[in-house]
Amino acid sequence: MSNINELNEPEVFVVADNILSPLGKTTAENFAKLRENISGVKEHTDLTISALPFFASLFEKGETFVKADEHNYTKFEQLLIASIADALNGSGVDVRDKKTVLIISSTKGNISLLEDEAITDELKERISLSNSAKLVAEHFGFQNQPIVVSNACISGVLGVITATRLLRSHQYENAVVAGADVISKFIMSGFQSFQALSVGPCKPFDKEHDGLNLGEGAGTIILSTNHKYAQNIKVKGGSISNDANHISGPSRTGQELAGAIKNALQEANFTSANIDFISAHGTATVYNDEMEANAITISGLQKVTLNSLKGFYGHTLGAAGLIESIISIQSLKQALVISTIGFTESADPEKVNVCATLTRLKANNFLKTASGFGGCNAAVIFGK
Amino acid sequence: MLTEKNITGFCSIHNGTITKDGVNIFEQQSDLSGLLLAAYQHLQLTYPKFYKMDNLSKLGWLAAEFLLKDTFNKDAYQPEETGVILANANSSLDDDVKYWDSIKDVASPSLFVYTLPNIVIGEICIRNHFKGEQAFYIQPDFDAQFIAQQVNYLLDKNIMQACICGWVDVFEQDYKAVLFLVEKKKTDKSAIFSAERMDEIFNKD
């Protein structure tokens, strides 16, 4: 792979970000909660979502996120709008500029609408991700057609990588990357049918890990090649791979995620020694955690401090890669790596160095990984 | 540093007709499930996984089979060197509706797994042992310009050496698949890879 500097490609800077989750409405509010080890995952009893009680990180029922909404935006669209609005606030990025593009990441968007009525042309349009993206773009006045990424649980990271590539190849100067998913019966029942859910709060990389929790949330990262942001954190490299093994179970070896990590390092012009900490996917399913631990060991990163934030947020699906990257960007800025809540004793102590408590760590770069159904893997590196 | 890239093959499945490189190779006027099954049987393969797939995956998987059959030299590339970049309008809605109907009885994990549009990429990768880059985008209409930009980036920067790209969309009886094989080599039938050329092929039928 070519060194990006040889090609005279611009660097991509993080301008601003937002996390909108049950823990808070801004990145700062969210980071403060995580520092205090406060999780959004609770036991819920909600028959509209599940016949049995379940653990998840959910917004209050009926909570709205956009004031004076004349457009009847759905919860999914409201989350995107509120998250993007906060990230844009004071960022100096002009969404009405032709040089700015909007990228939306989601796995299921408005799918909950399918639960209440039979499918008609009108409902089909209302569920379509392109339609939601268009409504959000119009709300802010974006000039370009938005790009929609829907690639299972790597959607958020893939959104960042897609944006980075568009910016590096001078297609745009600024990209607003926003992801969200809403948990309803459709998604809950599916994960239940897979027996992928934990009976309690999830335990990423722990000996006792027994499944994941689902979570709701939105995240937005604004990226730019404009040099006025040159002092900011940068996207250093990113890569995607496929396991070519199984559509609903990860690779046995972790070789393919390791391949994505290798390519991301190469694009950043880094070796594994440049990675100061890892924000893992860490869903707390045995399959995911084992595969990821293998990939991290293959990559020579087994000694590097690693966390999973799924114990705080649950698995927020299309938003996960964004939310977890944003927290980790804060970790770079504040030299403070968040703990892996739910973790006590390692399932694989030789393969991963799980961060069990809030850790002071002067870091320059971190690696964010993600994997999902369909055998997809993603790796992205952010750094100073 | 721009590399020459060529469309070395294309395949479309639309209106009961399968064409490869512009030539009709299979035709059957029936409902979509019937067409997909007949097309699979036409290939004379033993691939039991096919029967488990939803219609979106069957459609994309078949289009990739016809696209690559006899003309693609898999040995020319490492598994990590071939990527798959696809898009559609309806995401996995066709299977979403079927999954939601199933949960009135017992939620079916085998239907749930197909409620993601990128599963078709997974099926193509499993079949062909492709381990490279992949992405699934949702677009109101086929955005050849965007897809070309993505594929150009991957090939120009040597991230990939070959790419399958295009459109695979299904909702009930509306369907269309058009896949392109993009490589750096030239063949006697190949055409220079461009958004315009993809659009021309896409809009032919």
Side-chain angles (χ1 to χ4, degrees):
Chain A
M1 198 183 296
S2 327
N3 174 344
I4 60 155
N5 299 322
E6 284 168 15
L7 295 170
N8 198 20
E9 286 190 346
E11 290 192 295
V12 175
F13 311 108
V14 176
V15 176
D17 53 47
N18 166 271
I19 299 172
L20 171 53
S21 82
L23 289 175
K25 290 183 173 6
T26 63
T27 300
E29 283 178 27
N30 274 271
F31 198 77
K33 288 282 171 61
L34 268 53
R35 277 187 67 157
E36 293 164 32
N37 233 24
I38 297 170
S39 164
V41 175
K42 287 185 213 141
E43 187 171 23
H44 292 264
T45 305
D46 183 344
L47 295 177
T48 62
I49 297 181
S50 167
L52 297 170
F54 57 93
F55 282 81
S57 171
L58 305 179
F59 291 106
E60 294 295 325
K61 225 174 153 70
E63 189 174 350
T64 54
F65 306 93
V66 178
K67 278 182 199 144
D69 171 16
E70 298 152 11
H71 300 270
N72 281 319
Y73 293 124
T74 60
K75 181 174 173 183
F76 167 61
E77 289 149 8
Q78 288 193 18
L79 289 175
L80 289 171
I81 288 170
S83 178
I84 293 168
D86 179 68
L88 282 172
N89 190 13
S91 68
V93 168
D94 180 5
V95 297
R96 292 178 184 276
D97 189 327
K98 275 297 266 180
K99 289 183 297 203
T100 304
V101 68
L102 173 66
I103 300 181
I104 301 289
S105 300
S106 183
T107 64
K108 296 310 305 166
N110 278 335
I111 199 65
S112 68
L113 299 177
L114 200 61
E115 297 172 8
D116 304 321
E117 32 180 323
I119 192 83
T120 57
D121 283 350
E122 199 184 325
L123 182 64
K124 191 176 144 206
E125 174 73 5
R126 202 64 200 84
I127 290 176
S128 115
L129 281 169
S130 294
N131 185 60
S132 292
K134 183 167 159 268
L135 291 173
V136 173
E138 283 170 359
H139 176 89
F140 291 100
F142 284 91
Q143 299 296 301
N144 299 294
Q145 177 174 301
I147 292 162
V148 177
V149 180
S150 188
N151 207 112
C153 302
I154 71 165
S155 298
V157 177
L158 181 54
V160 170
I161 291 174
T162 300
T164 301
R165 289 174 177 170
L166 288 166
L167 298 185
R168 280 191 177 156
S169 52
H170 304 278
Q171 303 290 313
Y172 303 99
E173 185 179 295
N174 312 300
V176 177
V177 189
D181 263 302
V182 171
I183 303 303
S184 69
K185 191 172 184 178
F186 185 101
I187 293 173
M188 184 64 71
S189 62
F191 279 91
Q192 282 168 338
S193 78
F194 260 101
Q195 302 184 311
L197 300 179
S198 174
V199 293
C202 71
K203 303 181 184 102
F205 297 105
D206 189 88
K207 261 178 118 166
E208 311 278 313
H209 52 176
D210 65 348
L212 56 83
N213 302 138
L214 289 166
E216 296 182 313
T220 301
I221 298 182
I222 303 176
L223 299 172
S224 177
T225 52
N226 190 317
H227 267 269
K228 69 180 173 188
Y229 305 109
Q231 298 309 307
N232 295 15
I233 306 285
K234 303 170 188 76
V235 183
K236 298 279 188 171
S239 175
I240 311 292
S241 68
N242 195 286
D243 291 340
N245 175 49
H246 197 280
I247 51 167
S248 59
S251 157
R252 289 183 195 91
T253 62
Q255 203 75 50
E256 298 76 17
L257 173 58
I261 294 171
K262 183 178 154 220
N263 288 349
L265 286 168
Q266 211 168 330
E267 190 174 53
N269 244 343
F270 281 172
T271 67
S272 57
N274 293 96
I275 300 300
D276 300 309
F277 72 94
I278 302 166
S279 169
H281 191 48
T283 58
T285 65
V286 174
Y287 285 129
N288 172 84
D289 292 0
E290 275 180 2
M291 182 282 284
E292 231 179 338
N294 286 337
I296 283 172
T297 300
I298 295 167
S299 308
L301 295 164
Q302 61 272 35
K303 297 261 159 54
V304 176
T305 301
L306 166 147
N307 69 12
S308 159
L309 302 177
K310 296 293 192 292
F312 291 99
Y313 291 107
H315 192 342
T316 53
L317 308 172
L322 291 160
I323 290 175
E324 293 159 13
S325 293
I326 294 163
I327 291 294
S328 303
I329 289 167
Q330 281 304 310
S331 289
L332 281 186
K333 289 180 180 170
Q334 302 192 24
L336 210 50
V337 178
I338 298 297
S339 70
T340 304
I341 199 170
F343 170 89
T344 32
E345 200 183 333
S346 191
D348 257 322
E350 304 294 310
K351 293 182 176 171
V352 272
N353 175 16
V354 182
C355 179
T357 52
L358 185 68
T359 303
R360 179 114 343 250
L361 183 79
K362 276 202 169 159
N364 288 317
N365 309 295
F366 73 87
L367 167 71
K368 168 83 207 114
T369 55
S371 298
F373 277 172
C376 50
N377 305 293
V380 63
I381 298 165
F382 290 84
K384 286 180 179 165
Chain B
M1 277 284 294
L2 295 186
T3 345
E4 189 183 301
K5 289 145 302 210
N6 298 292
I7 298 174
T8 52
F10 56 93
C11 172
S12 92
I13 306 182
H14 187 45
N15 281 339
T17 306
I18 302 178
T19 67
K20 176 170 176 170
D21 301 335
V23 180
N24 283 16
I25 49 174
F26 185 78
E27 219 166 314
Q28 175 168 311
Q29 295 306 325
S30 65
D31 70 353
L32 176 60
S33 298
L35 170 72
L36 295 171
L37 182 61
Y40 171 74
Q41 287 165 343
H42 176 82
L43 286 167
Q44 296 189 309
L45 297 168
T46 309
Y47 195 74
K49 277 195 195 95
F50 178 81
Y51 297 98
K52 295 184 183 171
M53 296 178 199
D54 76 328
N55 280 351
L56 179 67
S57 283
K58 281 180 179 165
L59 180 68
W61 186 90
L62 281 168
E65 281 301 299
F66 284 103
L67 173 74
L68 302 175
K69 192 179 183 311
D70 304 330
T71 45
F72 179 66
N73 178 12
K74 209 181 284 184
D75 299 334
Y77 305 104
Q78 294 298 312
E80 297 76 18
E81 290 179 337
T82 303
V84 185
I85 308 293
L86 301 181
N88 79 10
N90 285 304
S91 182
S92 55
L93 187 60
D94 186 68
D95 184 70
D96 293 348
V97 173
K98 289 173 183 160
Y99 169 70
W100 183 249
D101 284 342
S102 88
I103 94 155
K104 288 163 192 158
D105 188 13
V106 179
S108 154
S110 53
L111 285 174
F112 183 67
V113 69
Y114 289 100
T115 63
L116 292 163
N118 61 293
I119 301 299
V120 58
I121 297 180
E123 295 287 11
I124 293 170
C125 287
I126 290 168
R127 167 70 176 157
N128 298 289
H129 210 58
F130 295 150
K131 294 188 169 187
E133 285 270 339
Q134 58 128 91
F136 204 103
Y137 298 100
I138 309 294
Q139 305 168 342
D141 301 291
F142 179 53
D143 186 348
Q145 208 73 44
F146 174 76
I147 297 293
Q149 199 278 330
Q150 295 297 305
V151 172
N152 279 330
Y153 187 93
L154 294 174
L155 295 177
D156 287 341
K157 288 176 56 74
N158 275 323
I159 298 169
M160 293 293 114
Q161 297 304 318
C163 255
I164 291 173
C165 65
W167 180 263
V168 183
D169 197 29
V170 176
F171 184 69
E172 295 176 346
Q173 295 304 317
D174 288 334
Y175 63 91
K176 182 165 183 167
V178 184
L179 296 187
F180 305 89
L181 174 62
V182 186
E183 298 178 272
K184 295 181 178 181
K185 66 171 191 188
K186 249 189 199 158
T187 65
D188 45 355
K189 279 196 242 161
S190 67
I192 302 278
F193 175 61
S194 69
E196 294 69 27
R197 183 73 188 127
M198 279 200 292
D199 263 333
E200 212 177 286
I201 293 166
F202 187 89
N203 294 319
K204 222 170 215 170
D205 45 21

